[in-house]
Amino acid sequence: LVERFLEEVLNAHDLAALERFIAPGFTSGLAGGEEGDAEALRRWLAELFAAFPDMRWRSNLMLYEEQTVVVRLTGEGTHTGPFRGVAPTGRRVRVEAVHIIGLRDGRMASHYRVGDEAGIVEQLTA
């Protein structure tokens, strides 16, 4: 499921595909402590996809036990749209993040992301 999400949503930049992966009552903890639902995740991904339209992710490590998956991802892309108040720079960025995903009935029920969003902004403004 997580590998399919990586390819069909994150790397394809397909927000419509998100619905296939999200369980009813989905909760998400995003960068900066923002918590929300599937719509919060959708908004965050939309901003990321618009700012880095060529961003591609790869899994460096994936661990799972029962209904929990922990995955470490590395993403690389070019900054061609606004991101967190930074105008497009044309710079390539690299970011790493750890995602903890709770599963229920073959879908994602919860998602918590620990990533270096400040590091992305730093790469863009350095």
Side-chain angles (χ1 to χ4, degrees):
L1 176 76
V2 174
E3 289 173 345
R4 283 186 27 242
F5 179 81
L6 177 65
E7 289 307 314
E8 295 176 27
V9 176
L10 293 183
N11 284 338
H13 294 208
D14 186 354
L15 291 174
L18 188 61
E19 295 304 318
R20 293 195 308 263
F21 294 90
I22 301 296
F26 174 84
T27 60
S28 183
L30 299 170
E34 177 187 351
E35 291 191 27
D37 56 9
E39 189 53 37
L41 178 61
R42 182 184 315 284
R43 284 191 308 270
W44 184 79
L45 289 173
E47 179 186 17
L48 190 69
F49 295 166
F52 303 95
D54 66 343
M55 178 76 77
R56 295 295 176 263
W57 297 91
R58 71 179 181 283
S59 170
N60 301 312
L61 174 70
M62 189 177 301
L63 305 170
Y64 60 93
E65 183 174 311
E66 296 183 19
Q67 297 296 306
T68 303
V69 178
V70 178
V71 60
R72 187 180 78 188
L73 299 177
T74 299
E76 294 186 52
T78 309
H79 182 223
T80 61
F83 184 75
R84 301 294 182 197
V86 180
T89 63
R91 292 184 178 168
R92 296 271 308 160
V93 299
R94 178 185 166 105
V95 62
E96 293 194 13
V98 173
H99 300 260
I100 303 167
I101 301 161
L103 304 176
R104 183 177 64 242
D105 299 326
R107 291 183 168 192
M108 297 183 345
S110 63
H111 164 257
Y112 297 94
R113 177 185 176 273
V114 179
D116 189 14
E117 195 158 321
I120 296 174
V121 173
E122 186 177 307
Q123 290 176 64
L124 299 176
T125 59

